[in-house]
């Protein structure tokens, strides 16, 4: 008998706005451990807004609705606590931080996670060992980890760096916001492999993408269409294929008819 | 305000001169006359727009014109250990050079003279006479004129031709007094052709009284010589530091000046570098970390009098609370100074709305074949970088700290003594964390 799956993330009727403009207009979504959810949808639909709101970006204001993570009210927590609870965002546009070295950044991040979970800081040797292992996992060049965070990284290198950080931090829920865009075929495979290797029955992912291609590597349990601030259609991986063929117009029409 | 000092001079000039060397006395009356004419600078003057001395100069300060001994031995109380930096250590206590009791003067390379300006002016009058006041005397600046009238002593360093000082020299200015106190001192530094020296100047305060320091430093860097000047200001909030650094560079010389204000009350640094030769390299850097009601004004000028030289200027400020910063970057390129390359950058971060920064590039370029640029920015910490770090679990406070530390990194990178670089980075980090950033083991600079 399968145990009743406990709920990892529950989003209920979420409304959020930026600069007074409403972007999310009543979005609901439930994620259980072990699941992979793909979110697709036209440009400007609110996909990145959703990831920003879930991770607590102060630029956005939640005007209505509830989000809970393992029963905890997520919206109450500052971004750093959400991160330490195990929510990781692979940014659509990773930020360059000149002057802050990757090593220092990662060490600080890991040790803050550990502190949050009442663990002692990693020793220097353990930290370097973990760094090396995870770098291998995503086939990341040493040159990159020796530089400042994302500074001067190419688009693809930045995306790979996001997955490297994810591997380092071992989140329970990872949100990949268009991690596939800008990646060449080889990099796509490596990144997808990285994601798959980190997959476990306890972890879940929300994969935001425009392309069916990624979903050949990362096989989703559910595919959702986000349009105009709401999830307007959900299905299985076949929905992604259908979208790839037919585009979004038929969905838009369906929605607009209502 | 000037009145009391004018009376003081008129009344005590015999004592002032009696306790000073004749080389310095020769120009004393002229300096005094100039001060009578100019008075203390006010923020109405173009060059002092960002410095307001009204309040600090309204207080009555004691001066030690009779050179009474101050009962403290800095060599005993001061343990400024920059680990790994083995320096030649000297003190100016208030306004006078503290007699060297260490034996390390014997260890100085042959021909090098380091000591009290007053003493050397008596023992080597010709040497001092050839340089003293050559840059400072007659300058239309009330503080420099005041210094010329009242300064009786200071730090002296002479490095003869082709001599390389094997260790950095450290000069610690210590203020120690039971009453509000003013100190004037004059430092004279001479590097002959091909000589090399590194000087680290630290400012410290010992007592919880009001202090004014008015120090003028002249540095002569002859052909092919190389000079590094680091200034680390770590004084208490009741201190007003008025400092003038004048550097003269001859052909193919190399100068690095790095001026760091970690903690202070009111600071005015006037820095002037005369590039008076071809193929010179000049790097002028500075950094300010200000909070509470601190005020820091760096007034800098780099003057290219000859062609084919390069200068780079970089100043960074992090200002919090109600602190105020000022920066002026004067760049003068004379008509015949072709192929000059001069780059100037001033970047500032304001941590809140009450902190204020005023910055002014002032370029006067009369040559046509030059490469010059300047850029100034005043901004906040990068919001998107802040969020990115917080998303990785780094708390807001820590993320801010990392960003501020990164912001100041290119100034601290321009410290060419590794041990000192590490130490200053550590002090900067402590300062940014809001901890007391006094040097560890330094028992007196709280
Ligand atoms: N700072 C802002 N000010 C005003 N509008 C904004 C701001 N940021 C985002 N928006 C708007 O919010 C809407 C949703 O943007 P969002 O980035 O969430 O879209 P998306 O679904 O991720 O699109 P894409 O597929 O192009 O990445 C867009 O119309 C966008 O212009
Ligand atoms: Mg997006």
């Amino acid at each position: 008998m399968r145990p009743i799956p406990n709920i990892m993330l529950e989003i209920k009727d979420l409304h959020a706005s930026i600069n007074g403009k409403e972007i999310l207009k009543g979005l609901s979504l439930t994620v259980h451990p072990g699941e992979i959810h793909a979110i697709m949808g036209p440009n400007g639909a609110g996909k990145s807004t959703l990831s920003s709101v879930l991770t607590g970006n102060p630029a956005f204001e939640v005007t209505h609705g509830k989000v809970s993570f393992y029963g905890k009210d997520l919206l109450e927590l500052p971004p750093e606590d959400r991160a330490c609870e195990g929510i990781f965002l692979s940014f659509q546009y990773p930020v360059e931080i000149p002057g802050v070295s990757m090593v220092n950044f990662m060490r600080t991040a890991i040790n803050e996670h550990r502190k949050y979970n009442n663990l002692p800081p990693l020793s220097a040797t353990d930290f370097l060992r973990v760094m090396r292992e995870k770098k291998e996992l995503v086939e990341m060049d040493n040159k990159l980890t020796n530089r400042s965070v994302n500074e001067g990284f190419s688009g693809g290198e930045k995306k790979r760096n996001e997955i490297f950080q994810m591997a380092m931090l071992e989140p329970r829920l990872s949100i990949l916001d268009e991690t596939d865009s800008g990646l060449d075929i080889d990099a796509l495979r490596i990144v997808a492999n990285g994601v798959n290797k980190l997959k476990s029955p306890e972890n879940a992912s929300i994969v935001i993408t425009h392309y069916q291609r990624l979903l050949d590597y990362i096989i989703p349990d559910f595919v959702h269409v986000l349009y105009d601030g709401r999830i307007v259609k959900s299905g299985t991986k076949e929905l992604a294929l259908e979208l790839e063929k037919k585009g979004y117009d038929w969905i838009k029409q369906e929605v607009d008819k209502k | 305000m000037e009145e009391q000092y004018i009376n003081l001079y008129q009344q005590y000039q015999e004592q002032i001169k009696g306790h000073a060397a004749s080389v310095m006395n020769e120009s004393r009356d002229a300096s005094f006359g100039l001060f009578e004419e100019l008075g203390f600078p006010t923020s109405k003057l173009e060059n002092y727009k960002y410095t307001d001395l009204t309040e600090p100069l309204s207080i009555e300060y004691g001066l030690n014109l009779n050179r009474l001994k101050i009962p403290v031995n800095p060599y005993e109380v001061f343990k400024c250990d920059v680990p790994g930096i083995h320096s030649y250590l000297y003190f100016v206590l208030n306004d006078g050079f503290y007699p060297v009791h260490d034996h390390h003067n014997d260890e100085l390379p042959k021909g090098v003279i380091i000591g009290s300006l007053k003493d050397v002016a008596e023992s080597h009058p010709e040497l001092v006479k050839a340089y003293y006041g050559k840059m400072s005397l007659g300058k239309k600046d009330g503080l420099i004129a005041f210094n010329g009238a009242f300064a009786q002593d200071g730090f002296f360093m002479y490095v003869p031709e082709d001599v390389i000082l094997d260790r950095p020299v450290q000069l610690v200015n210590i203020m120690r007094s039971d009453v509000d106190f003013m100190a004037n001192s004059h430092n004279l530094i001479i590097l002959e052709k091909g000589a090399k020296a590194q000087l680290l100047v630290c400012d410290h305060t010992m007592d919880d009284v009001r202090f004014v320091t008015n120090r003028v430093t002249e540095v002569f860097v002859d052909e092919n010589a190389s000079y590094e000047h680091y200034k680390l200001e770590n004084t208490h909030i009741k201190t007003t530091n008025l400092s003038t650094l004048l550097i003269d560079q001859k052909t193919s010389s190399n100068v690095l000046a790095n001026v760091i204000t970690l903690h202070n009350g009111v600071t005015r640094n006037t820095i002037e570098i005369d590039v008076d030769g071809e193929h010179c390299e000049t790097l002028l850097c500075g950094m300010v970390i200000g909070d509470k009601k601190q005020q820091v004004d760096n007034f800098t000028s780099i003057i290219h009098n000859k062609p084919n030289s390069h200068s780079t200027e970089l100043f960074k400020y992090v200002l919090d609370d109600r602190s105020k910063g000022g920066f002026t970057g004067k760049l003068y390129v004379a008509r015949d100074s072709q192929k000059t390359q001069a780059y100037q950058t001033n970047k500032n971060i304001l941590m809140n709305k009450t902190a204020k920064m005023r910055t002014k590039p002032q370029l006067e370029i009369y040559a046509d074949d030059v490469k010059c640029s300047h850029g100034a920015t005043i901004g906040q910490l990068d919001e998107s970088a802040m969020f990115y770090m917080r998303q990785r679990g780094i708390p807001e406070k820590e993320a801010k700290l990392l960003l501020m530390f990164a912001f100041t990194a290119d100034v601290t990178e321009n410290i060419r003594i590794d041990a000192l670089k590490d130490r200053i980075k550590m002090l900067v980090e402590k300062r940014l964390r809001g901890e007391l950033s006094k040097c560890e083991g330094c028992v007196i600079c709280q």
Side-chain angles (χ1 to χ4, degrees):
Chain A
M1 199 184 84
R2 240 181 114 208
I4 302 159
N6 60 338
I7 294 174
M8 176 189 268
L9 178 75
E10 188 168 37
I11 308 173
K12 272 191 188 156
D13 196 23
L14 185 63
H15 292 251
S17 53
I18 185 160
N19 300 331
K21 182 182 163 203
E22 185 164 68
I23 311 289
L24 297 185
K25 303 172 180 172
L27 187 145
S28 300
L29 178 70
T30 303
V31 177
H32 299 95
E35 292 176 350
I36 294 181
H37 291 248
I39 295 184
M40 305 181 78
N43 295 129
K47 302 182 295 297
S48 295
T49 302
L50 174 63
S51 39
S52 296
V53 170
L54 290 180
T55 50
N57 188 329
F60 294 84
E61 191 198 354
V62 173
T63 52
H64 186 80
K66 275 172 78 174
V67 182
S68 59
F69 189 68
Y70 285 111
K72 261 191 203 161
D73 182 356
L74 203 60
L75 301 177
E76 287 288 301
L77 298 180
E80 51 270 33
D81 288 3
R82 300 185 197 193
C84 293
E85 285 289 336
I87 298 179
F88 178 91
L89 170 60
S90 165
F91 284 70
Q92 183 175 3
Y93 305 108
V95 182
E96 301 197 9
I97 314 179
V100 176
S101 72
M102 268 306 293
V103 174
N104 195 14
F105 176 62
M106 255 5 279
R107 192 189 304 115
T108 311
I110 284 216
N111 285 333
E112 289 294 346
H113 272 74
R114 294 178 64 90
K115 198 200 281 177
Y116 189 87
N117 293 303
N118 294 317
L119 293 168
L122 270 191
S123 72
T125 39
D126 283 345
F127 172 74
L128 290 175
R129 183 181 44 75
V130 178
M131 271 286 274
R132 198 170 46 240
E133 281 168 20
K134 305 300 182 180
K135 266 193 301 207
E136 275 165 23
L137 185 73
V138 295
E139 299 178 32
M140 180 131 134
D141 206 309
N142 271 328
K143 280 200 306 255
L144 295 181
T145 45
N146 287 336
R147 303 216 313 241
S148 290
V149 178
N150 291 322
E151 194 187 20
F153 286 27
S154 76
E157 287 168 344
K158 283 181 183 162
K159 294 303 174 80
R160 199 180 292 218
N161 190 17
E162 295 293 286
I163 300 306
F164 165 68
Q165 293 175 44
M166 178 177 120
M168 291 291 291
L169 297 172
E170 301 181 329
R172 296 199 275 183
L173 173 66
S174 32
I175 306 166
L176 308 182
D177 192 353
E178 297 199 26
T179 303
D180 52 337
S181 39
L183 289 182
D184 62 41
I185 307 286
D186 290 336
L188 182 68
R189 188 181 38 76
I190 292 162
V191 164
N193 271 344
V195 172
N196 285 330
K197 276 189 204 147
L198 298 168
K199 191 174 147 86
S200 82
E202 287 83 47
N203 296 342
S205 303
I206 296 175
V207 181
I208 297 170
T209 182
H210 285 294
Y211 307 105
Q212 149 63 25
R213 195 182 56 174
L214 178 69
L215 304 179
D216 287 339
Y217 294 98
I218 304 173
I219 309 208
D221 301 296
F222 303 96
V223 174
H224 310 278
V225 179
L226 205 168
Y227 171 61
D228 195 22
R230 263 180 297 250
I231 287 181
V232 295
K233 199 169 185 67
S234 297
T236 52
K237 61 179 194 289
E238 283 71 33
L239 178 56
L241 285 168
E242 194 176 354
L243 291 169
E244 179 104 329
K245 253 189 253 138
K246 304 206 302 202
Y248 291 110
D249 276 354
W250 61 285
I251 289 181
K252 288 183 188 171
Q253 275 163 18
E254 249 177 48
V255 173
D256 294 343
K257 243 187 280 168
K258 283 181 198 166
Chain B
M1 238 166 12
E2 289 81 2
E3 196 65 22
Q4 52 170 322
Y5 296 102
I6 290 171
N7 292 339
L8 188 76
Y9 187 85
Q10 284 164 345
Q11 207 176 331
Y12 290 100
Q13 51 177 311
E14 290 321 310
Q15 280 94 323
I16 296 174
K17 289 173 187 166
H19 292 281
S22 58
V23 181
M24 289 174 76
N25 289 337
E26 281 168 20
S27 52
R28 202 172 287 284
D29 287 341
S31 291
F32 174 71
L34 193 55
F35 174 71
E36 272 189 301
E37 179 195 316
L38 298 171
F40 287 120
T42 71
S43 46
K44 290 198 185 76
L45 295 175
E46 186 62 27
N47 288 2
Y48 278 85
K49 251 173 43 185
Y50 308 148
T51 298
D52 187 357
L53 300 175
T54 326
E55 195 280 331
L57 290 179
S58 67
I59 310 263
E60 263 193 54
Y61 296 95
L63 280 90
N64 186 10
L65 302 177
N66 281 317
R67 320 269 4 108
L68 298 176
K69 233 175 117 66
I70 298 132
V72 61
N73 180 351
Y75 284 97
E76 274 167 19
V77 288
F78 189 87
K79 293 178 194 69
C80 183
D81 53 336
V82 180
I85 175 175
H86 185 40
S87 66
Y88 296 107
L89 179 63
Y90 301 91
F91 294 91
V92 164
L93 183 55
N94 296 347
D95 48 10
F97 186 87
Y98 192 85
V100 182
H101 90 153
D102 238 12
H103 291 296
H104 61 214
N105 256 12
D106 307 340
E107 301 163 21
L108 286 172
K110 205 166 174 284
V112 173
I113 304 171
I114 298 180
S116 142
L117 176 63
K118 173 177 182 288
D119 292 353
V120 181
E122 279 159 4
S123 61
H124 301 73
E126 293 313 310
L127 178 60
V128 173
K129 207 180 154 104
Y131 294 96
Y132 174 78
K134 285 289 171 291
M135 279 184 278
S136 63
L137 291 180
K139 268 219 186 337
K140 292 241 172 287
D141 180 310
L143 294 176
I144 297 178
F146 188 88
N147 183 279
F150 286 95
Q152 294 162 294
D153 193 8
F155 171 84
F156 177 88
M157 173 161 94
Y158 165 76
V159 189
E161 194 166 336
D162 289 330
V163 170
I164 293 171
L165 261 176
D166 52 334
R167 298 187 227 152
V169 177
Q170 189 176 4
L171 166 63
V172 183
N173 292 313
I174 293 185
M175 294 302 286
R176 156 82 191 89
S177 173
D178 297 329
V179 295
D180 297 342
F181 191 85
M182 175 192 274
N184 291 277
S185 66
H186 193 112
N187 303 323
L188 183 59
I189 292 155
I190 304 159
L191 273 74
E192 286 191 345
K193 287 177 188 166
K196 244 180 170 171
Q198 299 169 311
L199 178 68
L200 163 63
V201 184
C202 304
D203 290 314
H204 293 286
T205 39
M206 246 177 102
D207 299 290
D208 190 23
V209 297
R210 300 279 306 247
F211 286 119
V212 171
T213 65
N214 180 22
R215 307 194 194 278
V216 172
T217 303
E218 293 180 281
V219 185
F220 297 87
V221 185
D222 209 340
E223 289 174 22
N224 290 307
S226 162
Y227 178 67
E228 292 169 28
H229 186 101
Y230 304 99
K231 184 171 192 287
L232 183 62
E233 188 181 350
N234 219 348
T235 55
H236 66 44
I237 193 96
K238 295 181 175 174
T239 312
T240 300
N241 278 316
L242 310 169
S243 140
T244 304
L245 174 64
L246 305 168
I247 302 181
D248 181 77
Q249 271 189 269
K250 294 283 186 276
T251 305
S252 299
S253 63
N254 191 317
V255 165
L256 161 65
N258 201 334
V259 190
I260 295 174
T261 298
L262 287 184
H263 203 278
N264 73 313
V266 176
T267 296
R268 159 73 180 207
N269 285 315
T270 303
I271 302 168
E272 184 180 309
I273 303 183
D274 279 280
V275 183
D276 216 2
E278 295 191 39
H279 307 291
C280 292
E281 291 287 336
T282 309
L283 178 54
L284 172 56
C285 299
M287 171 168 100
V288 174
I289 299 175
D291 59 7
K292 298 186 208 96
K293 287 169 76 174
Q294 293 171 217
Q295 281 184 46
V296 183
D297 179 15
N298 284 302
F299 183 90
T300 70
S301 24
I302 297 182
I303 300 167
H304 283 275
N305 286 319
K306 295 277 160 64
N308 294 312
S309 287
H310 296 177
S311 67
T312 306
E313 184 169 5
L314 172 69
F315 274 79
K316 294 210 160 173
Y317 291 57
V318 179
L319 301 176
D320 203 345
D321 301 335
R322 305 190 149 269
S323 61
K324 281 188 192 156
F327 171 81
T328 304
K330 237 175 114 168
L331 175 65
Y332 180 93
V333 181
R335 216 178 53 194
D336 299 326
S337 300
Q338 301 298 359
K339 306 276 182 208
T340 292
Q341 288 186 29
Y343 306 104
Q344 181 189 102
T345 313
N346 168 231
K347 289 189 177 167
N348 311 287
I349 287 184
L350 302 182
M351 300 300 289
N352 64 21
K353 291 204 169 69
T354 48
K356 288 208 165 51
M357 180 69 204
R358 295 193 286 179
T359 174
K360 191 173 78 173
Q362 202 178 316
L363 277 60
E364 289 178 51
I365 298 169
Y366 298 103
D368 46 21
D369 183 15
V370 298
K371 279 189 189 147
C372 296
S373 71
H374 68 91
T377 57
I378 300 175
Q380 281 82 40
L381 288 179
D382 181 355
E383 295 283 335
S384 57
M386 279 294 296
F387 178 64
Y388 189 79
M389 297 172 108
R390 295 177 74 187
Q391 209 302 300
R392 298 308 187 237
I394 302 174
E396 188 174 11
K397 199 166 157 247
E398 200 67 23
K400 272 188 185 168
L401 192 82
L402 280 171
L403 287 182
M404 288 190 286
F405 196 61
F407 175 75
T408 56
D410 43 3
V411 172
T412 42
E413 280 311 314
N414 280 313
I415 295 172
R416 297 178 191 151
I417 305 169
D418 285 343
L420 180 64
K421 187 198 307 196
D422 293 345
R423 174 45 59 114
I424 287 184
K425 278 185 173 174
M426 194 210 82
L427 291 176
V428 168
E429 190 181 332
K430 273 175 111 177
R431 175 69 175 98
L432 290 171
R433 277 186 196 282
E435 291 167 24
L436 211 55
S437 70
K438 64 179 178 124
C439 317
E440 238 152 88
C442 166
V443 286
I444 58 170
C445 50
Q446 332 188 354

